[in-house]
Amino acid sequence: MKSWRIFASIFLLSIYCQITIAKPPEDISVENLRAHISFLASDSLKGRKPGTPEGKIAAQYIREQLISSGFELLGDNGFQYLEAISDIQTGPNNKLILSNYQGEPGVDFTPLSFSRNDSLSATVAFAGYGFDINSDSLVWNDYQQLDVVGKWCLILKGDPDPDKNDNSFAPFSSLRKKVLTAKDHGAKGVLFVSGEKFDAKDELIDLFYDRSESDAGILVFQLKRTLADQILAPSGKTIVALEQQINESRTPIGFVVESKVTGAADIIKNKVKTQNVVAILRGADPVFNSEYLVIGAHYDHLGFGGPGSGSRRPDTLAIHNGADDNASGVAAILEIAKKVAAYRKEMKRSVIMIAFAAEEMGTLGSKYFTNNPLVDLKQIQFMFNLDMVGRLESSREGLTVGGTGTAIGLNQIVEKIASNHSLPIKTSPEGYGPSDHANFYVHDIPVLMFFTGAHEFYHTPDDDIEYVNIDGIKIISDFVYDLAVEIANLPQRLAFQEAGPKVRQTTRRRFKVTLGIMPDHAAAGLKGMRVDLVIKDRPAALAGMEKGDVIVAMEGKPVNDIYDYMNRLAEFKVGQRISVEVLRDGEKKILIVQL
């Protein structure tokens, strides 16, 4: 049955590749746009998840369209292969053993996704909610006079104010933050448990990939209350009673239990191979054709959704077709490619078309391309990114064009071309954003990002072609084409300038301070947190931090990944001077940062 479906998809691919030239190639065609989206967002492609046969079929379709337009393939016959972690699962060697009981994985306990694969046999210290907080508005230390060095820490999930909207514990309540705090105090493992107030059903966390390759550096499990109560038995206490006592007394409680626990975590990270699609059309001018414009859009989506996928309905397993996100952007660049090829004599500089893989996994495809460019990265003059351009008529603000401040004079060019099209636009100067253009911006490449706005079907199974404004995509495609021609034929390259990032908080956490950097969210296998951008005249820049530095410690406390960095940052105050240890070209440097 599976092979039949793949054959059917390949057959559809061949049909679509033949029928999508509905008008002369110099026209950006509404019919062609509809055909591209109909294929890419069809149920037969099952949401174009990276690493699946259907994701590969989508890539093949895009490659064939670029070939038919006259583009020359780069990389491995048009593909640039990369690996991505698709999911994680428990291995066969997870165990948690008490002196008189052996827990059953998935029933009594489960490892957390960011646990280190390791083993430990040690006594247990109950550490309340696992806080060590000393802020202007809150002081709470579960580790005061509690020795946890070399031990397991048994920690309650949540905080004493679970029902308060204005919760001062919120910045310190994440599981990763609590693990980091326990590790700072010398613990070798953490055992989380839910109190009855926090979760009456006492459900174990589903294991899913949180898009970080780094682990916590120590063992991390969640236990059922029955198992935690067995650990606490020598003390005569229970989890329910301890949670109630702490919440009512508003006082930390901590003690060592002479129970020995032996545990081992075995988590398997499953990797898949996916691919960028990359092709080039050489410019007509021999002086300028070694300089490049990149026009890109990501083609992957969420597959069937599910926990950890990014779906806004994680409890629903259904095909997420991604018609707007981002079959719309891919359709646009394919039609722009046809028009570029039809008028290639008008383009001085060369144009590279890229359909990016694994954007939904953290812009992995564009990160891989900029770290492993198929042309000289310094010769890339400009990058256009189209991500969700299919809702022009339903967006109150029309078309948003981001990145207009990333080159001197760029905003004026954008405004001029938009006026020629009578296209209402909203401009934003910032070069950073949660899409593929950000990975070019951090390499000092000017960018423009085109976006028609989020909507109620974003990252749901309802993002289907019937809700896409295809006439609007044509308007945007013509606009982007004219912008590309304008920039490709400038007598000299646009001068890059930093513009942002403008920080937008999307979680409950509110940092009191900032270093003024942009972290590298996609760095893999790296101990520390790499800096992708240092904003001029901000604390990090004034202290001498540079792009590419890897932050490994703050105030003497280790930083192993972006989660450690964010949790450390939450501890500092405005006006404080802190030491930041970085690795630069393999050499350690200590920077003094004035916050």
Side-chain angles (χ1 to χ4, degrees):
M1 180 64 71
K2 181 178 179 182
S3 60
W4 180 87
R5 288 175 178 170
I6 293 173
F7 174 80
S9 295
I10 294 172
F11 176 75
L12 285 172
L13 169 64
S14 65
I15 295 297
Y16 273 104
C17 287
Q18 295 175 44
I19 68 172
T20 54
I21 307 299
K23 286 191 176 183
E26 63 270 16
D27 258 353
I28 289 178
S29 160
V30 169
E31 290 82 359
N32 288 351
L33 289 168
R34 180 177 289 106
H36 296 317
I37 298 172
S38 294
F39 180 74
L40 294 169
S42 64
D43 284 350
S44 64
L45 289 196
K46 300 179 183 178
R48 307 186 303 278
K49 187 174 182 179
T52 63
E54 293 78 20
K56 183 68 175 287
I57 289 169
Q60 291 169 336
Y61 174 85
I62 294 164
R63 179 177 63 182
E64 293 306 311
Q65 292 295 321
L66 292 173
I67 291 172
S68 70
S69 294
F71 275 68
E72 169 192 343
L73 300 179
L74 295 179
D76 186 355
N77 197 27
F79 291 158
Q80 183 185 36
Y81 292 102
L82 61 140
E83 284 190 333
I85 296 176
S86 59
D87 57 58
I88 62 174
Q89 65 186 64
T90 55
N93 299 315
N94 289 286
K95 64 180 181 180
L96 208 61
I97 304 172
L98 283 62
S99 58
N100 59 348
Y101 183 79
Q102 180 166 339
E104 183 179 349
V107 176
D108 299 308
F109 75 96
T110 186
L112 268 62
S113 62
F114 54 93
S115 174
R116 181 178 182 177
N117 281 345
D118 204 348
S119 60
L120 175 66
S121 183
T123 54
V124 179
F126 177 76
Y129 282 105
F131 293 136
D132 184 356
I133 306 168
N134 186 7
S135 66
D136 295 337
S137 59
L138 181 62
V139 176
W140 186 295
N141 188 355
D142 285 302
Y143 295 92
Q144 191 170 5
Q145 299 179 344
L146 179 64
D147 179 14
V148 302
V149 175
K151 299 181 177 66
W152 294 97
C153 272
L154 180 60
I155 296 174
L156 292 168
K157 293 170 65 180
D159 61 68
D161 292 328
D163 300 323
K164 288 182 65 174
N165 291 328
D166 184 16
N167 189 339
S168 56
F169 289 100
F172 311 96
S173 295
S174 74
L175 299 183
R176 276 190 179 261
K177 173 61 176 174
K178 290 184 177 186
V179 170
L180 180 62
T181 302
K183 188 169 66 170
D184 285 345
H185 285 274
K188 293 299 183 182
V190 170
L191 306 171
F192 283 113
V193 63
S194 298
E196 190 175 47
K197 177 70 173 175
F198 180 81
D199 179 11
K201 294 183 179 179
D202 194 22
E203 295 179 331
L204 294 176
I205 297 173
D206 291 330
L207 192 70
F208 65 88
Y209 180 49
D210 66 358
R211 303 188 183 186
S212 173
E213 288 202 11
S214 62
D215 60 52
I218 61 175
L219 288 155
V220 188
F221 292 94
Q222 182 191 349
L223 316 182
K224 298 283 274 188
R225 280 194 292 271
T226 52
L227 186 55
D229 284 344
Q230 290 190 53
I231 295 172
L232 290 172
S235 72
K237 301 180 186 298
T238 67
I239 290 299
V240 171
L242 286 166
E243 180 193 40
Q244 182 178 358
Q245 185 179 350
I246 295 171
N247 289 5
E248 291 178 355
S249 68
R250 312 291 295 181
T251 302
I253 296 175
F255 54 89
V256 175
V257 185
E258 292 307 321
S259 293
K260 193 170 187 179
V261 172
T262 299
D266 181 18
I267 298 172
I268 300 169
K269 295 179 178 178
N270 297 314
K271 292 188 176 181
V272 296
K273 185 168 77 169
T274 185
Q275 56 283 312
N276 294 326
V277 186
V278 192
I280 188 172
L281 191 77
R282 306 287 176 178
D285 192 315
V287 175
F288 289 102
N289 65 10
S290 60
E291 300 175 356
Y292 312 103
L293 274 67
V294 169
I295 303 177
H298 78 89
Y299 69 93
D300 65 299
H301 200 51
L302 307 181
F304 283 82
S309 66
S311 172
R312 292 172 56 232
R313 298 179 191 166
D315 297 332
T316 300
L317 287 179
I319 296 173
H320 287 56
N321 286 317
D324 184 28
D325 186 14
N326 185 36
S328 66
V330 176
I333 71 167
L334 291 178
E335 285 300 288
I336 291 168
K338 289 189 175 84
K339 193 166 184 177
V340 166
Y343 295 101
R344 63 191 306 165
K345 293 181 180 179
E346 296 183 7
M347 305 288 280
K348 293 181 178 180
R349 291 175 173 85
S350 298
V351 175
I352 299 174
M353 290 287 175
I354 309 180
F356 295 110
E359 189 270 352
E360 302 288 6
M361 292 181 170
T363 66
L364 299 184
S366 54
K367 169 65 71 174
Y368 189 83
F369 177 85
T370 54
N371 286 341
N372 304 273
L374 299 179
V375 297
D376 184 353
L377 194 67
K378 294 180 180 178
Q379 291 298 96
I380 295 179
Q381 310 276 295
F382 205 91
M383 193 272 177
F384 299 87
N385 183 32
L386 289 83
D387 193 350
M388 296 176 64
V389 292
R391 304 278 290 197
L392 187 63
E393 66 184 355
S394 61
S395 172
R396 295 179 181 178
E397 297 172 340
L399 175 67
T400 296
V401 183
T404 57
T406 59
I408 296 172
L410 178 57
N411 190 71
Q412 290 87 335
I413 293 174
V414 171
E415 295 281 3
K416 180 186 75 172
I417 302 298
S419 66
N420 293 343
H421 288 263
S422 300
L423 177 64
I425 63 171
K426 177 185 176 183
T427 61
S428 174
E430 292 81 22
Y432 171 72
S435 189
D436 292 303
H437 60 287
N439 291 320
F440 289 81
Y441 174 60
V442 298
H443 287 278
D444 295 347
I445 297 170
V447 297
L448 285 176
M449 159 70 174
F450 303 89
F451 174 61
T452 55
H455 46 81
E456 68 272 25
F457 300 143
Y458 168 71
H459 278 201
T460 75
D462 296 325
D463 183 8
D464 292 318
I465 189 170
E466 57 261 35
Y467 302 110
V468 171
N469 177 9
I470 297 176
D471 290 327
I473 300 175
K474 172 175 169 49
I475 292 169
I476 293 167
S477 301
D478 285 327
F479 171 53
V480 174
Y481 171 80
D482 285 352
L483 273 171
V485 172
E486 180 82 6
I487 293 173
N489 293 327
L490 290 173
Q492 58 186 18
R493 70 185 297 172
L494 288 168
F496 173 81
Q497 64 181 5
E498 290 184 5
K502 180 180 180 182
V503 178
R504 295 181 178 92
Q505 295 290 351
T506 58
T507 68
R508 294 165 65 186
R509 175 169 303 178
R510 297 292 184 266
F511 293 115
K512 297 177 182 177
V513 297
T514 175
L515 296 189
I517 64 171
M518 190 182 84
D520 180 355
H521 292 266
L526 182 70
K527 187 173 183 179
M529 193 209 71
R530 192 170 70 182
V531 176
D532 255 1
L533 177 69
V534 182
I535 303 173
K536 185 178 180 181
D537 298 327
R538 301 295 291 276
L542 296 174
M545 194 173 294
E546 298 178 3
K547 182 174 72 174
D549 284 352
V550 179
I551 297 175
V552 295
M554 299 173 77
E555 281 294 274
K557 296 181 179 180
V559 172
N560 292 311
D561 53 33
I562 189 170
Y563 296 98
D564 284 5
Y565 167 74
M566 291 188 294
N567 287 319
R568 298 292 186 212
L569 196 62
E571 300 171 357
F572 304 133
K573 302 176 182 178
V574 174
Q576 186 176 351
R577 288 182 60 177
I578 64 169
S579 63
V580 179
E581 183 177 322
V582 303
L583 286 177
R584 184 179 299 165
D585 299 326
E587 181 182 349
K588 286 188 177 180
K589 294 183 178 293
I590 304 294
L591 306 178
I592 304 301
V593 180
Q594 179 73 50
L595 300 174

